[in-house]
Amino acid sequence: MDPRIQPIFDEVLRRNAGEVEFHQAVLEVFESLGRVIAKHPQYAEVSILERICEPERQIIFRVPWVDDAGRVQINRGFRVEFNSALGPYKGGLRFHPSVYLGTIKFLGFEQLFKNALTGMPIGGGKGGSDFDPKGKSTGEVMRFCQSFMTELYRHIGEYTDVPAGDIGVGGREIGYLFGQYKRITNRYESAVLTGKGVGWGGSLVRTEATGYGTAFFADEMLKTRSESFEGKRVLVSGSGNVAIYAIEKVHQLGGVVVACSDSSGVVYDDSGVDLELLRQIKEVERGRLADYAERRGSSSDYRAGGNIWSISAATRIDVALPCATQNELDETDARVLADNGVLAVAEGANMPSTPEAVRVFSEASVLFGPGKAVNAGGVATSALEMQQNASRDSWSFDNTEQRLVEIMRGIHERCATTAEEYGEPGNYVLGANIAGFTRVADAMLAFGVV
Ligand code: NDP
């Protein structure tokens, strides 16, 4: 790390003790910024780096709710409003038992650069709770969401902070959250949340956007080596929102996704994952991947507790799309993928590769797209949803998807040209970090010390 930046990072470690994911996210950005500070000393003169690591506001609140047995349950709610230099705070809500302040801060920090990369007028924020939706009844999920929004409503708004979904928060949860917001405020403010149902203010393509965008970005990376998805064999980890639509678009682009996973195991399906069956089980029945293998029959193989990346040691894999969760792909996994000839890795999830894994890909000249660029199609389409809400309009699927394609091409271009400008062509990590940072930093410079 640049010696001018090291003390700032040391201070981040000191002030945010124990928040290891947040440290990791800051480290990854700081490692890219030495050359920027050398070229633009004005950022250091007014402490932009120090300011950018400190959220503008952090809200932590109690979420009491009553379970089906009549017992009172208590969870912790979070909203970290990280940076509003470019627009209202924007970023999803995550409901997962592992959530603590450090998770939300890492996600919020990533989000502010990601949102900047889209070129759209949105700041960065993130929120969530340690609530575990798994095994809860629909009534319990609804009561939890209502209680969560009973506190959150006072902090959000179309011009202030616009949450959306993330792990554990899909269309059902956004519906309950929006219903409660509307009830408390007596205002139909469509643009206060995104990821809404298409019949009540949502945008076509928002559900598909993060997964589709991931495939579009990977496709752009492949083009730089005169390649495409045609005939490529692909691994997609996870089987949630991002994974399902990444699989769909890869199939439409001519690739074959031969495996996916959940937190319990991995399915290998040599003839290609049957998307219709997967969606039925995951989206309609809210079931597990083990059910997929059981119903698909002999063409698929389920390994409880399996490691999806190790599949590349046994069969040809050309592209890997980690779409599950943070730090799910480590150095050993990266070596197996790289040693067995993977061409490209594009992160549909947020920070799924450990720093050591990223180093392995870079040393092996594997095309590597970082999450803050690759998965930005989700938030970009949320911004398109806000545009439609503001103009009381709704756009067709094709029109919206075309906008997404153009946005993803633009992000790819921004990362690629910035990496080239800073002397490392093909380094998307460097390109994404610098392009995202400079857009936010320039706005912060213009605003003075605020
Ligand atoms: P979902 O809750 O819809 O799906 C998450 C998937 O990942 C589930 O299949 C889950 O399995 C699986 N998973 C979780 N932990 C592990 C693990 N340790 N090993 C293997 N699989 C695991 O979430 P999303 O698809 O929305 O989000 C996935 C990632 O994409 C997250 O990093 C999120 O932050 C990021 N993202 C999402 C966006 C969106 O628009 N939804 C936008 C940008 C980024 P199980 O059911 O067993 O828990």
Side-chain angles (χ1 to χ4, degrees):
M1 191 184 295
D2 187 285
R4 280 163 298 192
I5 299 181
Q6 186 67 50
I8 306 172
F9 183 62
D10 293 342
E11 185 62 8
V12 168
L13 296 182
R14 196 190 63 76
R15 296 179 81 162
N16 304 278
E19 296 173 358
V20 288
E21 297 86 354
F22 179 52
H23 303 163
Q24 185 181 331
V26 174
L27 178 66
E28 195 235 303
V29 172
F30 274 12
E31 280 181 337
S32 298
L33 296 184
R35 273 170 274 190
V36 183
I37 297 301
K39 203 167 166 183
H40 302 283
Q42 68 270 29
Y43 295 142
E45 281 158 19
V46 290
S47 303
I48 296 284
L49 264 66
E50 290 89 332
R51 281 195 270 158
I52 218 164
C53 295
E54 187 66 22
E56 289 175 14
R57 194 171 298 107
Q58 305 181 55
I59 303 146
I60 304 180
F61 50 98
R62 180 171 68 200
V63 190
W65 56 282
V66 180
D67 68 17
D68 286 348
R71 283 185 301 258
V72 175
Q73 302 282 347
I74 308 291
N75 284 101
R76 186 171 287 177
F78 302 92
R79 187 71 186 168
V80 173
E81 298 180 333
F82 225 108
N83 193 299
S84 60
L86 298 177
Y89 311 105
K90 182 88 197 86
L93 298 170
R94 175 175 293 191
F95 292 170
H96 193 275
S98 64
V99 164
Y100 74 113
L101 185 60
T103 323
I104 303 299
K105 277 164 74 176
F106 120 64
L107 289 164
F109 188 72
E110 287 276 294
Q111 192 81 44
L112 79 98
F113 300 104
K114 176 188 311 191
N115 294 3
L117 268 179
T118 66
M120 297 165 111
I122 39 180
K126 200 82 189 187
S129 173
D130 57 0
F131 174 74
D132 185 0
K134 262 193 216 125
K136 302 290 189 300
S137 71
T138 303
E140 289 176 323
V141 170
M142 181 183 75
R143 290 193 293 279
F144 173 80
C145 288
Q146 290 175 339
S147 180
F148 186 85
M149 184 52 86
T150 300
E151 173 60 33
L152 187 69
Y153 88 96
R154 66 190 88 243
H155 306 290
I156 62 177
E158 180 181 347
Y159 299 103
T160 318
D161 184 353
V162 184
D166 190 75
I167 290 180
V169 179
R172 175 182 64 171
E173 290 74 21
I174 293 292
Y176 295 145
L177 292 164
F178 185 69
Q180 185 72 355
Y181 180 86
K182 188 174 76 58
R183 187 178 187 200
I184 295 173
T185 60
N186 194 30
R187 289 164 69 91
Y188 205 108
E189 283 178 41
S190 293
V192 72
L193 286 170
T194 58
K196 299 181 293 295
V198 172
W200 41 276
S203 171
L204 287 165
V205 192
R206 176 60 191 92
T207 306
E208 296 84 353
T210 310
Y212 278 18
T214 297
F216 291 143
F217 193 96
D219 195 38
E220 290 298 312
M221 295 200 308
L222 288 170
K223 282 185 200 158
T224 65
R225 301 226 174 135
S226 306
E227 292 278 4
S228 74
F229 266 113
E230 198 61 51
K232 297 288 184 298
R233 288 166 60 80
V234 182
L235 298 177
V236 176
S237 65
S239 49
N241 171 263
V242 180
I244 285 175
Y245 293 99
I247 295 172
E248 181 166 271
K249 190 48 74 181
V250 167
H251 285 176
Q252 288 172 9
L253 293 172
V256 184
V257 175
V258 295
C260 62
S261 60
D262 64 12
S263 57
S264 311
V266 178
V267 153
Y268 176 72
D269 199 330
D270 192 59
S271 55
V273 169
D274 178 341
L275 198 60
E276 212 173 304
L277 178 60
L278 183 67
R279 289 184 61 178
Q280 172 65 26
I281 290 167
K282 299 298 290 191
E283 293 185 334
V284 181
E285 300 168 20
R286 295 179 185 274
R288 308 293 301 156
L289 213 50
D291 307 333
Y292 171 96
E294 219 173 279
R295 280 156 60 181
R296 177 85 158 135
S298 58
S299 82
S300 83
D301 173 32
Y302 176 74
R303 302 240 169 95
N307 176 327
I308 189 168
W309 315 118
S310 65
I311 290 173
S312 63
T315 183
R316 194 192 96 220
I317 295 298
D318 306 299
V319 179
L321 305 177
C323 295
T325 194
Q326 64 270 15
N327 293 328
E328 53 158 316
L329 195 165
D330 65 15
E331 183 175 7
T332 312
D333 302 325
R335 278 198 202 291
V336 175
L337 286 162
D339 289 351
N340 289 286
V342 77
L343 251 176
V345 177
E347 297 185 324
N350 284 313
M351 211 168 73
S353 313
T354 64
E356 297 76 26
V358 178
R359 216 158 290 136
V360 170
F361 292 136
S362 155
E363 282 162 14
S365 299
V366 171
L367 289 165
F368 177 77
K372 62 172 77 72
V374 173
N375 68 38
V379 73
T381 310
S382 277
L384 298 181
E385 182 174 331
M386 292 164 73
Q387 285 183 26
Q388 291 169 75
N389 294 150
S391 59
R392 307 260 192 271
D393 196 2
S394 44
W395 307 341
S396 71
F397 192 97
D398 289 350
N399 176 21
T400 317
E401 188 181 8
Q402 194 46 43
R403 297 280 296 262
L404 173 62
V405 171
E406 282 156 19
I407 289 166
M408 295 315 296
R409 280 196 192 128
I411 295 171
H412 178 271
E413 176 71 17
R414 231 159 272 146
C415 295
T417 51
T418 307
E420 215 166 293
E421 185 190 330
Y422 280 85
E424 291 201 31
N427 187 339
Y428 292 101
V429 173
L430 188 88
N433 286 337
I434 296 181
F437 171 79
T438 47
R439 187 163 174 240
V440 178
D442 287 342
M444 290 174 74
L445 269 184
F447 296 156
V449 180
V450 291

